Amino acid sequence: MTPSPPAATYFRYLAEGHFKIQRSPSTGEWVFYPRTIAPRTGATDLEWVVPSGMGTVYATTVKRMKPPIPNINIAIVELDEGPRMMTHVEGIAPEDVAIGMRVRAKIANGPDDAPILVFEPESRT
């Protein structure tokens, strides 16, 4: 499946080592997942900007794997700018990720070596 043009732009930025999401200058609305029209306001003047990279774990679960594959965390992180992202929290045991935990974004290699955005606890810098 080929990503849509806004999604392709997001993944291109990740491949270049940059975490960017969209924002409408006219309304101030921050947007993630990438799109051509802002979902709340209908704004079409979306531009790519660098967010703070900080967020809070909004929801979390552990995907239990059959050994020897390690369990993984699946989380929804609410960025400080407002949008929520489905992701992983790395750097701690999957069972230790907690709702309300402050996290920081980082670009990592996914299973197919394509860049993905993950988070790590804020205290790990």
Side-chain angles (χ1 to χ4, degrees):
M1 182 172 141
T2 303
S4 67
T9 301
Y10 168 75
F11 289 111
R12 179 174 50 83
Y13 281 129
L14 285 183
E16 293 170 356
H18 305 288
F19 170 38
K20 292 187 177 187
I21 61 174
Q22 295 170 298
R23 182 177 180 275
S24 165
S26 65
T27 67
E29 180 179 2
W30 292 84
V31 176
F32 187 83
Y33 197 80
R35 24 186 117 222
T36 56
I37 299 172
R40 292 191 181 110
T41 63
T44 58
D45 62 342
L46 299 176
E47 60 185 18
W48 291 95
V49 294
V50 177
S52 67
M54 299 301 299
T56 303
V57 175
Y58 178 82
T60 182
T61 192
V62 176
K63 182 177 180 183
R64 310 252 179 231
M65 306 300 285
K66 185 176 180 180
I69 301 170
N71 294 338
I72 61 169
N73 164 268
I74 300 171
I76 296 177
V77 169
E78 183 172 76
L79 297 174
D80 286 355
E81 292 77 11
R84 293 179 185 154
M85 309 176 75
M86 185 177 288
T87 185
H88 302 285
V89 177
E90 295 185 342
I92 63 173
E95 297 81 6
D96 292 340
V97 177
I99 293 171
M101 177 182 284
R102 292 289 294 162
V103 291
R104 175 184 313 275
K106 77 173 194 175
I107 299 170
N109 286 333
D112 58 357
D113 286 332
I116 60 171
L117 191 75
V118 298
F119 287 79
E120 57 188 5
E122 181 177 20
S123 60
R124 291 184 176 266
T125 55

